[in-house]
Amino acid sequence: MRRLFPVTDETAAQASGGGAEEEGVRGVGGVAGALGAGGAGGTGATAGLADREWGLDELAAAYAYPESAAREPWLRGNMVSTLDGAAQHDGRSAGISSAADMRIFGTLRALADVVVVGAETVRQEGYRPARARAEFAAARDAAGQGPAPVIAVVSASLDLDFSLPLYTSPLVPTLILTGAAAAPDRVAAAEKAGARVVIAGDGTGVDPARAVRILAGLGHTRLLTEGGPRLLGQFVGAGVLDELCLTLSPLLVAGGAQRISGGPSVSVPLHFELVSLLEEAGFLFGRYRRS
């Protein structure tokens, strides 16, 4: 991953002029913006710094949740898109991802209390339980987190294969967010498999804002959603998305693939500001915060 570049005019000028690296900033390499917003701070790293792979501790510092997320919910989305706006290729995101994208993907999971994901994405991507990672064990313990994030599956129909390891053998029990009108037999099947069913809506579906509040009430204030597009669109529409981590893949795929966010349009576009931008092998890794 190439080194950081700040995003402000002032610090960008410092970087292009070979300014000295600021105190406390890790020399992590990638075209990137000032870390800000819970990250490790800004940087004026010199232009001659060699490319190298960032360590996981450096990525964790760059993508740290804001301190307030220890007390109040902070919902972060993580998605990947091609240059022509496709969130998938052949129905999955793997074909438009990269090794660096997966390192960031793993880091974001390791920082989260809970990973919220739609049922269709669980089926298409073959979701498995989140695993404990030794590299993050000390940091998670210090933050009062369990050994691995909880997976929370959003499903109205509960049309899920409860024989899969995601439900039968996770390190921490999987949550299923659904509505009060969910079929009782499917609720019973989920609970029999070992999942915990959480009601987060009055009808068959889930109220996105209510889901965020309920998860926070369960102690999961550092939230991460990995989609799919319909679920991300629901969070956007409800106005509860605080941050978006977006990988821009240098690929063109054409076709009719979904965008990263679907569903009804918001009445007024939501404005996000760029917090940081990394680059490796043509892939751009942007971090945007609601302004």
Side-chain angles (χ1 to χ4, degrees):
M1 187 168 289
R2 293 163 62 89
R3 71 173 179 82
L4 290 174
F5 278 94
V7 294
T8 65
D9 291 341
E10 179 182 356
T11 51
Q14 292 174 355
S16 64
E21 186 173 14
E22 291 181 8
E23 182 179 355
V25 178
R26 303 174 187 273
V28 287
V31 176
L35 297 176
T43 178
T46 60
L49 189 62
D51 296 352
R52 65 179 178 86
E53 182 175 308
W54 289 24
L56 293 178
D57 60 333
E58 296 171 320
L59 285 174
Y63 284 95
Y65 280 86
E67 291 183 4
S68 63
R71 305 176 301 276
E72 301 174 351
W74 182 272
L75 177 60
R76 162 186 286 170
N78 181 33
M79 299 292 283
V80 59
S81 170
T82 63
L83 294 176
D84 51 355
Q88 304 162 336
H89 183 56
D90 288 338
R92 301 187 64 184
S93 61
I96 61 174
S97 182
S98 70
D101 184 43
M102 294 311 298
R103 290 202 305 274
I104 292 174
F105 176 92
T107 300
L108 295 181
R109 277 195 164 199
L111 295 172
D113 297 329
V114 60
V115 178
V116 188
V117 62
E120 184 61 23
T121 297
V122 167
R123 289 187 284 264
Q124 289 185 352
E125 302 283 352
Y127 263 59
R128 299 184 60 82
R131 60 189 179 93
R133 299 184 61 179
E135 307 96 320
F136 296 102
R140 289 189 65 86
D141 185 63
Q145 296 173 301
V150 176
I151 302 293
V153 181
V154 178
S155 177
S157 67
L158 274 67
D159 181 18
L160 302 163
D161 184 353
F162 295 122
S163 69
L164 295 176
L166 177 62
Y167 309 105
T168 62
S169 57
L171 189 61
V172 287
T174 293
L175 300 179
I176 298 179
L177 303 177
T178 192
D185 61 324
R186 298 306 296 163
V187 171
E191 293 176 337
K192 182 179 180 180
R196 178 180 178 183
V197 177
V198 177
I199 302 302
D202 294 329
T204 56
V206 168
D207 179 324
R210 184 173 169 183
V212 169
R213 292 194 301 269
I214 288 175
L215 289 171
L218 295 174
H220 307 313
T221 52
R222 305 174 187 90
L223 297 97
L224 170 67
T225 181
E226 297 170 349
R230 184 169 60 180
L231 179 60
L232 182 61
Q234 291 173 348
F235 283 131
V236 170
V240 294
L241 186 71
D242 297 295
E243 179 181 325
L244 178 65
C245 297
L246 176 64
T247 296
L248 184 61
S249 173
L251 301 174
L252 295 170
V253 299
Q258 290 179 294
R259 296 159 45 198
I260 66 165
S261 179
S265 174
V266 296
S267 56
V268 178
L270 306 181
H271 189 271
F272 281 64
E273 62 181 356
L274 181 64
V275 177
S276 66
L277 187 65
L278 315 180
E279 186 273 342
E280 179 172 296
F283 284 79
L284 296 178
F285 306 96
R287 181 180 174 194
Y288 298 85
R289 177 185 57 199
R290 188 170 57 185
S291 58

